[in-house]
């Protein structure tokens, strides 16, 4: 691999597959808008060659990476340092390279919090329902508990073991109550209380891929669920921009937030780490909306 000229900084996104990732569009748009002579590449790397390829990229002079599935967790052991939030969540989505040393960060947490912060009264001392127990759910629960101290977080998952392991990492040793006073519970999709909790929750976050293109007619909540105007529905999915779940919630009078906002804000925090500069948010959001609509 040839080394980059000194004035050019190069970044890339590591994933497998990675060709649909939107980070190249976001960062390249921002570099161009700010007149930075930087490059951003798609780096499709299979799990078994991650260690070797990462060393090749460092030797070639890469200054930083975004990380997407399936590497977000497995890459931790290859890094020299992992910032405390990323360590607590167990996932990294941004890496900075300094003198050959790799430092891992998780900007999904800040991205999610920023996307919902205008609605913090819906979270503080309220009941929050999280659908899904994967990496994104973990980042969302971490952010919500630390930032908004809700009364209760209920994780709804098809794999209860995974949901229980998620909440165990936030509760104290002896109970499922966090130091912030948040209570936790895990329930299955078929749990008798699911419909009632959907009605009673102040915020419902879809952290599953259910409803994502091409399955746009699917929704993570059962048909004929009663939502209402006192609720906030958040979907982490951004393809389509408005999912069936959000449509149903809006029809019931609930407030809604789509995944594009989190995408933009997690990207802007990564950009800040990469360059020390603010991402031109409006320009980047506009490019993404055009691409996705
Ligand atoms: P992940 O680690 O694979 O977790 C996905 C979760 O959804 C798991 O709990 C999985 O259950 C569950 N799930 C998958 N298919 C399901 C189904 N048909 N029915 C019920 N549950 C199902 O993925 P992730 O990284 O957390 O991502 C989750 C979603 O968030 C994706 O749509 C992703 O695009 C989105 N996301 C958006 C942003 C953003 O910036 N807007 C950032 C990160 C992620 P099992 O464990 O049983 O498989």
């Amino acid at each position: 691999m040839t080394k980059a000229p000194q004035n050019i900084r190069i970044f890339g996104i590591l994933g497998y597959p990675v060709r649909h990732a939107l980070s190249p569009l976001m960062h390249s748009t921002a570099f161009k808008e700010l007149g930075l002579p930087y490059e951003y590449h798609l780096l499709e790397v299979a799990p078994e060659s991650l260690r070797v390829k990462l060393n090749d990229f460092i030797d070639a002079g890469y200054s930083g990476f975004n990380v997407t599935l399936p590497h977000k967790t497995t890459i931790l052991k290859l890094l020299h340092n992992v910032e405390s939030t990323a360590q607590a969540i167990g996932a990294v989505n941004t890496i900075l390279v300094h003198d050959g040393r790799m430092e891992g960060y998780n900007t999904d947490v800040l991205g999610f919090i920023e996307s919902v912060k205008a609605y913090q009264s819906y979270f503080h001392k309220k009941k929050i329902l999280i659908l899904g127990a994967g990496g994104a759910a973990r980042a969302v629960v971490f952010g919500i508990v630390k930032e908004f101290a809700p009364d209760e977080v209920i994780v709804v998952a098809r794999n209860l073991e995974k949901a229980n392991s998620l909440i165990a990492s936030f509760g104290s040793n002896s109970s499922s109550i966090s130091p912030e006073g948040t209570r936790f519970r895990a329930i299955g999709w078929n749990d008798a209380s699911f419909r009632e909790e959907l009605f009673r929750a102040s915020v419902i976050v879809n952290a599953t891929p259910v409803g994502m293109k091409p399955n746009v007619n699917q929704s993570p909540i059962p048909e004929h669920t009663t939502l209402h105007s006192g609720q906030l529905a958040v979907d982490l999915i951004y393809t389509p921009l408005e999912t069936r779940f959000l449509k149903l919630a809006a029809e019931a009078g609930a407030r809604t937030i789509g995944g594009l906002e989190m995408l933009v804000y997690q990207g802007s925090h990564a950009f800040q780490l990469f360059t020390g500069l603010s991402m031109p948010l409006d320009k980047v959001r506009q490019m993404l909306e055009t691409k996705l609509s």
Side-chain angles (χ1 to χ4, degrees), residues 68-69 72-73 93 107-108 111-112 115 131-140 155-160 162-163 166 189 206-212 218-220 235-239 258-267:
T68 188
L69 296 176
K72 280 183 165 186
T73 301
N93 75 338
T107 69
D108 279 339
F112 176 79
S115 75
L131 312 180
R138 191 170 272 278
V140 166
V155 178
V156 186
R158 59 183 180 185
N159 181 340
L160 266 185
K162 212 162 155 183
L166 191 164
W189 291 99
N206 179 29
T208 77
V210 181
M212 188 169 6
Q218 294 182 0
S219 160
D235 205 326
L236 305 193
I237 292 172
Y238 45 82
T239 54
L260 180 68
E261 290 307 303
M262 175 174 169
L263 178 72
V264 169
Y265 286 119
Q266 64 77 26

Short mmCIF file of all heavy atoms in Angstrom, two decimals, residues 68-69 72-73 93 107-108 111-112 115 131-140 155-160 162-163 166 189 206-212 218-220 235-239 258-267, ligand 1:
data_model
loop_
_atom_site.label_atom_id
_atom_site.label_comp_id
_atom_site.label_asym_id
_atom_site.label_seq_id
_atom_site.Cartn_x
_atom_site.Cartn_y
_atom_site.Cartn_z
N THR A 68 -18.28 0.12 11.42
CA THR A 68 -19.66 -0.34 11.40
C THR A 68 -19.69 -1.86 11.50
O THR A 68 -18.65 -2.51 11.67
CB THR A 68 -20.42 0.23 10.17
OG1 THR A 68 -21.81 -0.09 10.31
CG2 THR A 68 -19.90 -0.32 8.86
N LEU A 69 -20.91 -2.43 11.41
CA LEU A 69 -21.08 -3.88 11.58
C LEU A 69 -20.21 -4.64 10.57
O LEU A 69 -20.05 -4.18 9.46
CB LEU A 69 -22.55 -4.27 11.39
CG LEU A 69 -23.52 -3.68 12.41
CD1 LEU A 69 -24.96 -4.04 12.06
CD2 LEU A 69 -23.19 -4.13 13.82
N LYS A 72 -17.84 -3.49 15.29
CA LYS A 72 -17.93 -2.51 16.38
C LYS A 72 -17.46 -3.03 17.74
O LYS A 72 -16.92 -2.26 18.55
CB LYS A 72 -19.37 -2.01 16.51
CG LYS A 72 -19.76 -0.94 15.49
CD LYS A 72 -21.18 -0.47 15.75
CE LYS A 72 -21.48 0.81 15.03
NZ LYS A 72 -22.79 1.36 15.38
N THR A 73 -17.67 -4.30 18.00
CA THR A 73 -17.29 -4.87 19.29
C THR A 73 -15.93 -5.56 19.21
O THR A 73 -15.07 -5.37 20.07
CB THR A 73 -18.36 -5.90 19.74
OG1 THR A 73 -19.60 -5.21 19.82
CG2 THR A 73 -18.04 -6.51 21.07
N ASN A 93 -17.27 3.11 17.45
CA ASN A 93 -17.65 3.43 16.06
C ASN A 93 -16.73 4.48 15.43
O ASN A 93 -16.91 4.84 14.27
CB ASN A 93 -19.12 3.87 15.96
CG ASN A 93 -19.34 5.28 16.47
OD1 ASN A 93 -18.53 5.78 17.26
ND2 ASN A 93 -20.39 5.92 16.02
N THR A 107 -19.45 7.45 19.28
CA THR A 107 -20.19 8.70 19.11
C THR A 107 -21.69 8.45 18.92
O THR A 107 -22.46 9.39 18.80
CB THR A 107 -19.64 9.54 17.93
OG1 THR A 107 -19.95 8.87 16.70
CG2 THR A 107 -18.16 9.78 18.04
N ASP A 108 -22.10 7.16 18.89
CA ASP A 108 -23.54 6.86 18.78
C ASP A 108 -24.31 7.40 19.99
O ASP A 108 -25.44 7.87 19.86
CB ASP A 108 -23.79 5.34 18.70
CG ASP A 108 -23.55 4.79 17.30
OD1 ASP A 108 -23.59 5.58 16.33
OD2 ASP A 108 -23.30 3.58 17.17
N GLY A 111 -24.66 11.06 19.63
CA GLY A 111 -25.53 11.27 18.45
C GLY A 111 -26.98 11.08 18.81
O GLY A 111 -27.84 11.89 18.46
N PHE A 112 -27.27 10.01 19.56
CA PHE A 112 -28.66 9.75 19.95
C PHE A 112 -29.14 10.85 20.90
O PHE A 112 -30.23 11.41 20.70
CB PHE A 112 -28.80 8.38 20.64
CG PHE A 112 -30.19 8.15 21.13
CD1 PHE A 112 -31.19 7.75 20.25
CD2 PHE A 112 -30.53 8.38 22.46
CE1 PHE A 112 -32.52 7.59 20.69
CE2 PHE A 112 -31.84 8.21 22.91
CZ PHE A 112 -32.83 7.81 22.01
N SER A 115 -29.95 14.00 19.23
CA SER A 115 -31.13 13.92 18.35
C SER A 115 -32.44 14.05 19.13
O SER A 115 -33.46 14.39 18.56
CB SER A 115 -31.11 12.62 17.53
OG SER A 115 -31.46 11.52 18.32
N LEU A 131 -36.98 -1.15 22.03
CA LEU A 131 -37.25 -2.35 21.24
C LEU A 131 -35.93 -2.81 20.63
O LEU A 131 -35.34 -2.09 19.82
CB LEU A 131 -38.28 -2.04 20.14
CG LEU A 131 -39.54 -1.29 20.61
CD1 LEU A 131 -40.48 -1.05 19.43
CD2 LEU A 131 -40.26 -2.04 21.72
N GLY A 132 -35.44 -4.00 21.04
CA GLY A 132 -34.16 -4.50 20.56
C GLY A 132 -33.10 -4.46 21.66
O GLY A 132 -33.23 -3.67 22.62
N ALA A 133 -32.11 -5.35 21.54
CA ALA A 133 -31.09 -5.43 22.59
C ALA A 133 -29.69 -5.57 21.98
O ALA A 133 -28.80 -6.18 22.55
CB ALA A 133 -31.38 -6.63 23.49
N GLY A 134 -29.50 -4.98 20.77
CA GLY A 134 -28.21 -5.06 20.09
C GLY A 134 -27.31 -3.88 20.48
O GLY A 134 -27.52 -3.22 21.50
N GLY A 135 -26.32 -3.63 19.62
CA GLY A 135 -25.33 -2.59 19.90
C GLY A 135 -25.94 -1.20 20.02
O GLY A 135 -25.59 -0.43 20.93
N ALA A 136 -26.88 -0.88 19.11
CA ALA A 136 -27.47 0.46 19.15
C ALA A 136 -28.33 0.63 20.40
O ALA A 136 -28.30 1.68 21.06
CB ALA A 136 -28.30 0.70 17.89
N ALA A 137 -29.07 -0.43 20.78
CA ALA A 137 -29.90 -0.38 21.99
C ALA A 137 -29.02 -0.11 23.21
O ALA A 137 -29.35 0.68 24.09
CB ALA A 137 -30.65 -1.69 22.16
N ARG A 138 -27.88 -0.76 23.23
CA ARG A 138 -26.94 -0.59 24.35
C ARG A 138 -26.48 0.87 24.47
O ARG A 138 -26.47 1.45 25.56
CB ARG A 138 -25.75 -1.52 24.12
CG ARG A 138 -24.81 -1.70 25.24
CD ARG A 138 -23.85 -2.84 24.94
NE ARG A 138 -24.38 -4.12 25.37
CZ ARG A 138 -24.31 -4.58 26.63
NH1 ARG A 138 -23.70 -3.87 27.56
NH2 ARG A 138 -24.82 -5.74 26.95
N ALA A 139 -26.14 1.47 23.32
CA ALA A 139 -25.69 2.88 23.32
C ALA A 139 -26.84 3.79 23.75
O ALA A 139 -26.64 4.73 24.53
CB ALA A 139 -25.19 3.27 21.92
N VAL A 140 -28.04 3.50 23.27
CA VAL A 140 -29.21 4.34 23.60
C VAL A 140 -29.51 4.25 25.10
O VAL A 140 -29.71 5.28 25.76
CB VAL A 140 -30.43 3.87 22.76
CG1 VAL A 140 -31.71 4.47 23.29
CG2 VAL A 140 -30.24 4.26 21.29
N VAL A 155 -36.53 -3.18 28.29
CA VAL A 155 -35.93 -3.64 27.03
C VAL A 155 -36.77 -4.80 26.50
O VAL A 155 -36.95 -5.80 27.21
CB VAL A 155 -34.46 -4.08 27.24
CG1 VAL A 155 -33.86 -4.60 25.94
CG2 VAL A 155 -33.64 -2.92 27.79
N VAL A 156 -37.28 -4.64 25.28
CA VAL A 156 -38.11 -5.69 24.67
C VAL A 156 -37.26 -6.41 23.62
O VAL A 156 -36.76 -5.77 22.69
CB VAL A 156 -39.35 -5.06 23.98
CG1 VAL A 156 -40.29 -6.17 23.48
CG2 VAL A 156 -40.08 -4.11 24.91
N ALA A 157 -37.10 -7.73 23.79
CA ALA A 157 -36.20 -8.44 22.86
C ALA A 157 -36.68 -9.86 22.60
O ALA A 157 -37.40 -10.44 23.42
CB ALA A 157 -34.80 -8.48 23.45
N ARG A 158 -36.28 -10.39 21.46
CA ARG A 158 -36.64 -11.80 21.19
C ARG A 158 -35.66 -12.71 21.89
O ARG A 158 -35.94 -13.86 22.13
CB ARG A 158 -36.71 -12.06 19.69
CG ARG A 158 -35.45 -11.78 18.92
CD ARG A 158 -35.66 -12.00 17.44
NE ARG A 158 -34.43 -11.73 16.70
CZ ARG A 158 -34.34 -11.74 15.40
NH1 ARG A 158 -35.41 -11.97 14.66
NH2 ARG A 158 -33.19 -11.49 14.79
N ASN A 159 -34.46 -12.19 22.20
CA ASN A 159 -33.47 -12.96 22.92
C ASN A 159 -33.36 -12.37 24.33
O ASN A 159 -32.64 -11.40 24.57
CB ASN A 159 -32.14 -12.86 22.16
CG ASN A 159 -31.03 -13.65 22.82
OD1 ASN A 159 -31.11 -13.98 24.00
ND2 ASN A 159 -29.99 -13.93 22.06
N LEU A 160 -34.11 -13.00 25.28
CA LEU A 160 -34.18 -12.43 26.62
C LEU A 160 -32.83 -12.45 27.34
O LEU A 160 -32.53 -11.57 28.15
CB LEU A 160 -35.20 -13.19 27.46
CG LEU A 160 -36.62 -12.60 27.48
CD1 LEU A 160 -37.51 -13.37 28.43
CD2 LEU A 160 -36.62 -11.12 27.85
N LYS A 162 -29.98 -11.87 26.01
CA LYS A 162 -29.24 -10.68 25.55
C LYS A 162 -29.78 -9.42 26.25
O LYS A 162 -29.01 -8.55 26.67
CB LYS A 162 -29.43 -10.56 24.03
CG LYS A 162 -28.27 -9.97 23.30
CD LYS A 162 -28.42 -10.31 21.83
CE LYS A 162 -27.70 -9.34 20.94
NZ LYS A 162 -27.91 -9.63 19.53
N ALA A 163 -31.11 -9.36 26.37
CA ALA A 163 -31.72 -8.20 27.03
C ALA A 163 -31.31 -8.15 28.50
O ALA A 163 -31.00 -7.08 29.04
CB ALA A 163 -33.24 -8.27 26.90
N LEU A 166 -27.83 -6.98 28.80
CA LEU A 166 -27.75 -5.52 28.59
C LEU A 166 -28.09 -4.79 29.89
O LEU A 166 -27.34 -3.93 30.36
CB LEU A 166 -28.73 -5.11 27.48
CG LEU A 166 -28.65 -3.70 26.91
CD1 LEU A 166 -29.40 -3.62 25.59
CD2 LEU A 166 -29.16 -2.63 27.83
N TRP A 189 -41.13 -10.23 23.14
CA TRP A 189 -42.12 -9.63 22.24
C TRP A 189 -43.52 -10.17 22.51
O TRP A 189 -44.51 -9.49 22.27
CB TRP A 189 -41.77 -9.91 20.77
CG TRP A 189 -40.54 -9.18 20.31
CD1 TRP A 189 -39.29 -9.71 20.22
CD2 TRP A 189 -40.44 -7.82 19.90
NE1 TRP A 189 -38.41 -8.74 19.77
CE2 TRP A 189 -39.10 -7.58 19.56
CE3 TRP A 189 -41.36 -6.78 19.78
CZ2 TRP A 189 -38.64 -6.35 19.11
CZ3 TRP A 189 -40.91 -5.54 19.33
CH2 TRP A 189 -39.56 -5.34 19.01
N ASN A 206 -37.31 2.41 18.65
CA ASN A 206 -37.07 1.20 17.86
C ASN A 206 -35.58 1.08 17.55
O ASN A 206 -35.04 1.84 16.75
CB ASN A 206 -37.86 1.21 16.54
CG ASN A 206 -37.57 -0.04 15.72
OD1 ASN A 206 -37.27 -1.10 16.28
ND2 ASN A 206 -37.65 0.08 14.41
N ALA A 207 -34.93 0.12 18.20
CA ALA A 207 -33.51 -0.14 17.95
C ALA A 207 -33.35 -1.51 17.29
O ALA A 207 -32.35 -2.20 17.50
CB ALA A 207 -32.72 -0.06 19.25
N THR A 208 -34.35 -1.92 16.51
CA THR A 208 -34.25 -3.14 15.69
C THR A 208 -34.27 -2.70 14.21
O THR A 208 -34.66 -1.57 13.91
CB THR A 208 -35.45 -4.10 15.90
OG1 THR A 208 -36.58 -3.58 15.18
CG2 THR A 208 -35.80 -4.27 17.35
N PRO A 209 -33.90 -3.61 13.30
CA PRO A 209 -34.01 -3.25 11.87
C PRO A 209 -35.41 -3.48 11.31
O PRO A 209 -35.58 -3.38 10.09
CB PRO A 209 -32.99 -4.18 11.20
CG PRO A 209 -32.60 -5.20 12.19
CD PRO A 209 -33.24 -4.91 13.50
N VAL A 210 -36.40 -3.76 12.16
CA VAL A 210 -37.75 -4.06 11.65
C VAL A 210 -38.40 -2.79 11.08
O VAL A 210 -38.58 -1.81 11.80
CB VAL A 210 -38.63 -4.68 12.76
CG1 VAL A 210 -40.03 -4.99 12.21
CG2 VAL A 210 -37.99 -5.92 13.34
N GLY A 211 -38.72 -2.85 9.77
CA GLY A 211 -39.29 -1.68 9.10
C GLY A 211 -38.30 -1.02 8.14
O GLY A 211 -38.64 -0.08 7.41
N MET A 212 -37.06 -1.53 8.18
CA MET A 212 -36.03 -0.97 7.30
C MET A 212 -36.25 -1.43 5.86
O MET A 212 -36.77 -2.54 5.65
CB MET A 212 -34.65 -1.44 7.78
CG MET A 212 -33.55 -0.75 7.05
SD MET A 212 -31.87 -0.91 7.64
CE MET A 212 -31.75 -2.03 8.89
N GLN A 218 -43.33 -3.39 7.41
CA GLN A 218 -43.26 -4.01 8.74
C GLN A 218 -43.14 -2.94 9.82
O GLN A 218 -42.60 -1.85 9.59
CB GLN A 218 -42.06 -4.94 8.83
CG GLN A 218 -42.18 -6.15 7.92
CD GLN A 218 -40.98 -7.08 8.06
OE1 GLN A 218 -40.05 -6.85 8.82
NE2 GLN A 218 -41.01 -8.16 7.28
N SER A 219 -43.64 -3.30 11.00
CA SER A 219 -43.52 -2.39 12.14
C SER A 219 -43.14 -3.22 13.37
O SER A 219 -43.62 -4.34 13.51
CB SER A 219 -44.86 -1.69 12.38
OG SER A 219 -44.90 -1.20 13.69
N PRO A 220 -42.30 -2.68 14.25
CA PRO A 220 -41.91 -3.46 15.43
C PRO A 220 -43.02 -3.54 16.48
O PRO A 220 -42.91 -4.33 17.41
CB PRO A 220 -40.71 -2.68 15.98
CG PRO A 220 -40.94 -1.28 15.53
CD PRO A 220 -41.63 -1.37 14.20
N ASP A 235 -37.29 6.27 15.97
CA ASP A 235 -36.83 5.12 15.20
C ASP A 235 -35.38 5.38 14.79
O ASP A 235 -35.06 6.46 14.27
CB ASP A 235 -37.71 4.92 13.94
CG ASP A 235 -37.67 3.46 13.47
OD1 ASP A 235 -36.60 2.83 13.62
OD2 ASP A 235 -38.71 2.97 12.99
N LEU A 236 -34.49 4.41 15.04
CA LEU A 236 -33.08 4.60 14.65
C LEU A 236 -32.87 4.34 13.17
O LEU A 236 -31.85 4.71 12.60
CB LEU A 236 -32.17 3.67 15.47
CG LEU A 236 -32.26 3.77 17.00
CD1 LEU A 236 -31.09 3.02 17.63
CD2 LEU A 236 -32.28 5.20 17.48
N ILE A 237 -33.89 3.75 12.53
CA ILE A 237 -33.78 3.47 11.09
C ILE A 237 -33.86 4.78 10.30
O ILE A 237 -34.66 5.65 10.63
CB ILE A 237 -34.95 2.54 10.66
CG1 ILE A 237 -34.76 1.15 11.29
CG2 ILE A 237 -35.06 2.44 9.14
CD1 ILE A 237 -35.96 0.22 11.09
N TYR A 238 -33.04 4.89 9.25
CA TYR A 238 -33.12 6.10 8.40
C TYR A 238 -33.42 5.76 6.94
O TYR A 238 -33.47 6.64 6.10
CB TYR A 238 -31.85 6.96 8.52
CG TYR A 238 -30.57 6.18 8.45
CD1 TYR A 238 -30.03 5.79 7.24
CD2 TYR A 238 -29.91 5.82 9.61
CE1 TYR A 238 -28.86 5.06 7.19
CE2 TYR A 238 -28.73 5.08 9.58
CZ TYR A 238 -28.22 4.71 8.36
OH TYR A 238 -27.05 3.98 8.31
N THR A 239 -33.60 4.47 6.63
CA THR A 239 -34.09 4.08 5.29
C THR A 239 -35.31 3.22 5.45
O THR A 239 -35.15 2.05 5.81
CB THR A 239 -33.02 3.31 4.49
OG1 THR A 239 -32.60 2.21 5.28
CG2 THR A 239 -31.85 4.17 4.11
N GLY A 258 -36.93 10.48 13.44
CA GLY A 258 -36.36 9.42 12.62
C GLY A 258 -34.85 9.29 12.83
O GLY A 258 -34.22 10.15 13.44
N GLY A 259 -34.27 8.22 12.28
CA GLY A 259 -32.86 7.91 12.50
C GLY A 259 -31.86 8.85 11.83
O GLY A 259 -30.68 8.83 12.17
N LEU A 260 -32.35 9.65 10.89
CA LEU A 260 -31.42 10.56 10.19
C LEU A 260 -30.73 11.51 11.18
O LEU A 260 -29.54 11.81 11.04
CB LEU A 260 -32.18 11.38 9.13
CG LEU A 260 -31.33 12.36 8.35
CD1 LEU A 260 -30.34 11.64 7.45
CD2 LEU A 260 -32.19 13.29 7.50
N GLU A 261 -31.48 11.96 12.20
CA GLU A 261 -30.90 12.92 13.15
C GLU A 261 -29.73 12.30 13.91
O GLU A 261 -28.67 12.91 14.04
CB GLU A 261 -31.98 13.40 14.14
CG GLU A 261 -33.02 14.29 13.49
CD GLU A 261 -32.38 15.47 12.75
OE1 GLU A 261 -31.63 16.23 13.39
OE2 GLU A 261 -32.60 15.61 11.53
N MET A 262 -29.93 11.06 14.39
CA MET A 262 -28.83 10.39 15.11
C MET A 262 -27.64 10.18 14.19
O MET A 262 -26.49 10.38 14.57
CB MET A 262 -29.31 9.06 15.67
CG MET A 262 -28.22 8.25 16.33
SD MET A 262 -28.89 6.77 17.11
CE MET A 262 -27.42 5.86 17.51
N LEU A 263 -27.94 9.80 12.94
CA LEU A 263 -26.88 9.57 11.96
C LEU A 263 -26.03 10.83 11.78
O LEU A 263 -24.80 10.79 11.80
CB LEU A 263 -27.51 9.15 10.63
CG LEU A 263 -26.54 8.91 9.49
CD1 LEU A 263 -25.76 7.62 9.71
CD2 LEU A 263 -27.26 8.84 8.14
N VAL A 264 -26.72 11.95 11.60
CA VAL A 264 -26.02 13.22 11.37
C VAL A 264 -25.18 13.59 12.60
O VAL A 264 -24.00 13.94 12.49
CB VAL A 264 -27.02 14.35 11.05
CG1 VAL A 264 -26.34 15.71 11.07
CG2 VAL A 264 -27.69 14.11 9.70
N TYR A 265 -25.78 13.47 13.80
CA TYR A 265 -25.06 13.91 15.00
C TYR A 265 -23.91 12.97 15.38
O TYR A 265 -22.86 13.44 15.83
CB TYR A 265 -26.02 14.09 16.18
CG TYR A 265 -26.87 15.33 16.05
CD1 TYR A 265 -28.26 15.25 15.98
CD2 TYR A 265 -26.28 16.59 15.99
CE1 TYR A 265 -29.04 16.38 15.86
CE2 TYR A 265 -27.06 17.74 15.86
CZ TYR A 265 -28.43 17.63 15.80
OH TYR A 265 -29.19 18.77 15.68
N GLN A 266 -24.09 11.65 15.19
CA GLN A 266 -22.94 10.77 15.50
C GLN A 266 -21.81 11.07 14.52
O GLN A 266 -20.64 11.06 14.88
CB GLN A 266 -23.32 9.28 15.55
CG GLN A 266 -23.83 8.62 14.26
CD GLN A 266 -22.73 8.28 13.27
OE1 GLN A 266 -21.59 8.08 13.67
NE2 GLN A 266 -23.06 8.26 12.00
N GLY A 267 -22.17 11.39 13.28
CA GLY A 267 -21.16 11.73 12.27
C GLY A 267 -20.47 13.04 12.60
O GLY A 267 -19.26 13.18 12.42
P1 LIG B 1 -27.72 -5.31 16.04
O1 LIG B 1 -26.60 -5.21 17.01
O2 LIG B 1 -27.73 -6.37 15.00
O3 LIG B 1 -29.07 -5.47 16.94
C1 LIG B 1 -30.34 -5.58 16.35
C2 LIG B 1 -31.38 -5.92 17.42
O4 LIG B 1 -32.65 -6.05 16.76
C3 LIG B 1 -31.12 -7.25 18.12
O5 LIG B 1 -31.63 -7.17 19.44
C4 LIG B 1 -31.94 -8.22 17.28
O6 LIG B 1 -32.35 -9.37 18.00
C5 LIG B 1 -33.16 -7.37 17.00
N1 LIG B 1 -33.88 -7.84 15.82
C6 LIG B 1 -33.40 -8.00 14.57
N2 LIG B 1 -34.37 -8.43 13.73
C7 LIG B 1 -35.48 -8.56 14.50
C8 LIG B 1 -36.82 -8.99 14.24
N3 LIG B 1 -37.19 -9.36 13.02
N4 LIG B 1 -37.69 -8.98 15.26
C9 LIG B 1 -37.32 -8.61 16.49
N5 LIG B 1 -36.07 -8.20 16.82
C10 LIG B 1 -35.18 -8.18 15.84
O7 LIG B 1 -27.93 -3.96 15.25
P2 LIG B 1 -27.69 -2.47 15.80
O8 LIG B 1 -26.36 -2.01 15.42
O9 LIG B 1 -28.07 -2.44 17.24
O10 LIG B 1 -28.73 -1.64 14.91
C11 LIG B 1 -30.11 -1.68 15.16
C12 LIG B 1 -30.83 -0.68 14.26
O11 LIG B 1 -30.38 0.64 14.56
C13 LIG B 1 -30.55 -0.88 12.77
O12 LIG B 1 -31.74 -0.60 12.07
C14 LIG B 1 -29.50 0.16 12.46
O13 LIG B 1 -29.54 0.58 11.11
C15 LIG B 1 -29.94 1.28 13.38
N6 LIG B 1 -28.85 2.22 13.73
C16 LIG B 1 -29.01 3.52 13.39
C17 LIG B 1 -28.03 4.42 13.73
C18 LIG B 1 -28.22 5.88 13.36
O14 LIG B 1 -27.24 6.61 13.39
N7 LIG B 1 -29.42 6.30 13.05
C19 LIG B 1 -26.88 4.01 14.42
C20 LIG B 1 -26.75 2.65 14.76
C21 LIG B 1 -27.75 1.76 14.41
P3 LIG B 1 -31.38 -10.67 18.06
O15 LIG B 1 -30.29 -10.32 18.99
O16 LIG B 1 -32.29 -11.73 18.58
O17 LIG B 1 -30.90 -10.92 16.66
#
